[in-house]
Amino acid sequence: MEQYLESEKKYSKWIIAVSVIIPVAVAALFGINLPKMGYNVQPLSFLPPIYAGINGLTAVVLFIAVAAIKRGNRSLHERLVKVAIALSLSFLVMYVAYHMTSITTVFGDTDHNGNLEDAEKLALGSIRYVYYFILFTHITLSVVIIPFVLFTFVRGISGSYERHKKLARITYPMWMYVAITGVIVYFMISPYYHN
């Protein structure tokens, strides 16, 4: 048990650093919008359906990874979790790239003027609050999940399987929620994207 704790302790500073650096970097990069800064860049408007698909694929991979470990296939489980981590990272890169090169889309903005007028709010009704609730919980958990995923992963690869399993019971549903709600958010906002 002590060797597992040592292994985890060795990585904990890195995990904490990464868990802070990623959200801060994303927030900083999210604040950089090249078109608004006067740069003539090609908007990466093709990315949202791709990164939404990556979110959906992440959910499928996570589901299969859990099914694999329940069948006792530890090596497949580990490989699939690595794939899920890589998918999540690729989503993040594409998400930031899209928002750096494109004008922000406002949910419900049917005339694409960047403002949500009273008539548009009225047309949306209460679905607007559902959208913002899903979006808020998606973003919040996408930040919270980072150390959970990394600590769960380290416990698994270091052989601390009981501790891994205990933390995975928390990590898995949160990660699934983030992946699935990413797809839902895309489908809800996609009618309002600028062409």
Side-chain angles (χ1 to χ4, degrees), residues 59-135:
V60 171
V61 168
L62 287 172
F63 181 81
I64 296 169
V66 169
I69 200 64
K70 286 182 177 179
R71 288 191 314 270
N73 193 337
R74 192 173 284 162
S75 64
L76 177 60
H77 172 76
E78 183 180 331
R79 286 195 308 272
L80 289 170
V81 169
K82 288 176 181 176
V83 168
I85 291 170
L87 288 169
S88 293
L89 286 172
S90 64
F91 161 82
L92 188 60
V93 169
M94 287 185 224
Y95 182 78
V96 169
Y98 168 75
H99 284 284
M100 286 179 68
T101 62
S102 304
I103 301 299
T104 301
T105 301
V106 177
F107 181 73
D109 182 21
T110 53
D111 61 8
H112 305 290
N113 69 355
N115 296 312
L116 196 61
E117 284 93 17
D118 290 337
E120 291 169 325
K121 288 179 186 176
L122 189 61
L124 282 173
S126 60
I127 196 71
R128 183 166 60 114
Y129 301 108
V130 172
Y131 170 79
Y132 284 115
F133 174 80
I134 294 170
L135 180 63

Side-chain angles (χ1 to χ4, degrees), residues 123-172:
L124 282 173
S126 60
I127 196 71
R128 183 166 60 114
Y129 301 108
V130 172
Y131 170 79
Y132 284 115
F133 174 80
I134 294 170
L135 180 63
F136 176 77
T137 56
H138 170 79
I139 292 170
T140 302
L141 281 178
S142 70
V143 172
V144 170
I145 195 69
I146 297 168
F148 280 88
V149 168
L150 296 175
F151 276 114
T152 304
F153 181 73
V154 166
R155 288 179 181 183
I157 62 170
S158 67
S160 182
Y161 298 123
E162 283 307 311
R163 297 182 76 235
H164 166 81
K165 189 175 177 181
K166 186 177 180 180
L167 189 56
R169 286 188 178 123
I170 300 167
T171 304
Y172 174 68

